[in-house]
Amino acid sequence: MYVQEIARKTEVHLPNKSTSRLVIVLRTLRKDWQLYSLLVLPIIYLIVFKYGPMVGNIIAFRKFVPGGSIFGEYWVGLHYVKMFIADPTFLKVFKNTLILSSLTLLITFPAPIIFALLLNELKSMKFKRFVQTASYLPHFFSVVIVSGMILELVAVNGSINNIIEFFTGQRISFIQKPDWFRTIYIGSEIWQGLGWGAILYLAALTGINGELYEAAKIDGANRWKQTIHITIPGILPTIITLLILNIGNLLAVGFEKILLLYNPLNYKTSDVIATYVYRVGLESSNFSYATAIGLFEGIIGLILVFSANYISRRLTDNSLW
């Protein structure tokens, strides 16, 4: 009885787990409120522009009439989903999106990694800074400026055709031919994002312990073996994280650039889901149909993120969560 009484009294004075956690959180917020206050604007931005608009996805299952309710007039179920699945134009743009996004991922994702590894091998700091600065600049150009530059370069009377004519005596209508669109788009993506994409990898390279390279040199490892066995494993978590994020955006190919570069003559390879949704939703005012397609694209992206994260966690023990 005495032991039970002591246990009962002790239990009374023990705080609840949920209460103690709440107290810890409140104390932390009160102690570092200046730092946490910086989160207010980003959270408001996410709520207003990211999570709030998700409510509008309801019109993918309801008939929307311009001038009526923003949530649609009446329920139509999977009518619009069946429409775009049976639509041959959607199947064509879905195929184009998969091809263009896959090529972009396979070519433009490794490029910054290779570029960062090459920059890391440079001995001259002045030359290294110059190369970094020159490679960063295209990222700060707006998509409109980049697209205008591309159109001028590949125009029939552009600089590239002037060089081709000098050697072959012929000119090529690059932007009018569907076969050249993917090459032009991916080339511009590499040029614009190479330097900026290498920043994270260069930062990760600085975190590798220099003593590992010294030990490798003593063991007789050359620069190539040091890169394979020390450098790449050192930045592998960063590579995996960015790869998962890129896979999640696999179907979200650069809409603005494609919209500015494509034309009816190269629709065969340039028309993607985003541009198709733009034409159907804004130009044809079929908002419910466009929302259904956009929702489908978002669900596919979500599945890809979870799948890539699961595979990465099983194979490499590196994941986002």
Side-chain angles (χ1 to χ4, degrees):
M1 293 294 293
Y2 179 74
V3 174
Q4 292 178 352
E5 183 67 19
I6 294 296
R8 186 182 63 81
K9 291 181 179 180
T10 305
E11 185 179 356
V12 170
H13 294 287
L14 285 176
N16 193 334
K17 283 186 177 181
S18 60
T19 305
S20 61
R21 288 176 182 174
L22 179 61
V23 171
I24 293 173
V25 171
L26 292 175
R27 286 177 180 174
T28 305
L29 290 175
R30 185 170 59 183
K31 179 181 178 181
D32 300 318
W33 68 269
Q34 296 94 336
L35 293 175
Y36 287 104
S37 65
L38 298 176
L39 291 173
V40 174
L41 289 179
I43 290 174
I44 293 174
Y45 169 79
L46 288 174
I47 293 173
V48 174
F49 294 102
K50 299 296 181 180
Y51 291 100
M54 288 184 181
V55 180
N57 284 324
I58 190 65
I59 66 172
F61 310 101
R62 296 178 64 87
K63 175 67 176 178
F64 177 81
V65 178
S69 172
I70 61 173
F71 299 112
E73 297 299 321
Y74 53 88
W75 187 264
V76 294
L78 299 177
H79 171 71
Y80 294 108
V81 177
K82 296 176 182 177
M83 274 183 63
F84 72 70
I85 291 176
D87 188 354
T89 304
F90 172 78
L91 296 178
K92 183 187 72 173
V93 299
F94 184 70
K95 176 184 175 182
N96 287 341
T97 305
L98 282 179
I99 294 174
L100 192 60
S101 57
S102 300
L103 289 174
T104 303
L105 181 65
L106 292 173
I107 297 174
T108 62
F109 180 76
I113 301 174
I114 298 171
F115 183 64
L117 293 175
L118 293 175
L119 281 178
N120 191 52
E121 296 298 320
L122 292 178
K123 302 300 181 183
S124 174
M125 293 305 298
K126 289 184 178 180
F127 182 66
K128 183 178 180 179
R129 292 193 190 99
F130 169 76
V131 173
Q132 284 181 294
T133 304
S135 62
Y136 294 164
L137 285 177
H139 174 78
F140 298 99
F141 296 159
S142 70
V143 179
V144 177
I145 293 175
V146 172
S147 301
M149 293 172 63
I150 294 169
L151 292 175
E152 287 294 326
L153 287 171
V154 301
V156 176
N157 297 321
S159 303
I160 295 177
N161 265 310
N162 290 337
I163 297 172
I164 294 174
E165 186 184 28
F166 178 80
F167 289 102
T168 65
Q170 298 178 351
R171 290 179 178 269
I172 303 174
S173 301
F174 289 104
I175 206 65
Q176 284 78 27
K177 292 188 176 182
D179 296 338
W180 282 100
F181 181 83
R182 290 168 184 159
T183 303
I184 294 171
Y185 175 81
I186 294 173
S188 67
E189 285 289 290
I190 294 175
W191 173 71
Q192 191 175 10
L194 183 66
W196 185 257
I199 291 177
L200 290 177
Y201 300 111
L202 289 171
L205 287 170
T206 60
I208 300 176
N209 191 348
E211 294 179 358
L212 296 175
Y213 293 104
E214 296 297 330
K217 289 178 182 178
I218 295 173
D219 290 339
N222 55 27
R223 295 300 299 175
W224 174 251
K225 290 184 178 179
Q226 292 175 34
T227 301
I228 295 297
H229 298 289
I230 298 175
T231 306
I232 293 180
I235 63 174
L236 187 61
T238 304
I239 294 175
I240 294 297
T241 301
L242 294 178
L243 179 61
I244 293 172
L245 294 175
N246 276 270
I247 289 176
N249 292 323
L250 191 64
L251 297 183
V253 192
F255 163 70
E256 296 88 353
K257 187 181 290 184
I258 294 177
L259 184 68
L260 293 168
L261 292 178
Y262 87 148
N263 59 70
L265 296 176
N266 59 30
Y267 273 180
K268 182 180 177 181
T269 57
S270 65
D271 199 14
V272 295
I273 293 177
T275 54
Y276 181 61
V277 169
Y278 170 78
R279 293 200 308 275
V280 170
L282 294 181
E283 294 183 358
S284 302
S285 299
N286 196 346
F287 298 107
S288 293
Y289 184 45
T291 302
I293 299 174
L295 182 61
F296 170 79
E297 182 182 358
I299 292 173
I300 295 296
L302 185 65
I303 294 172
L304 289 173
V305 168
F306 276 92
S307 302
N309 189 76
Y310 174 77
I311 294 171
S312 174
R313 187 171 63 248
R314 293 295 298 271
L315 297 180
T316 66
D317 292 329
N318 294 307
S319 60
L320 288 177
W321 64 87

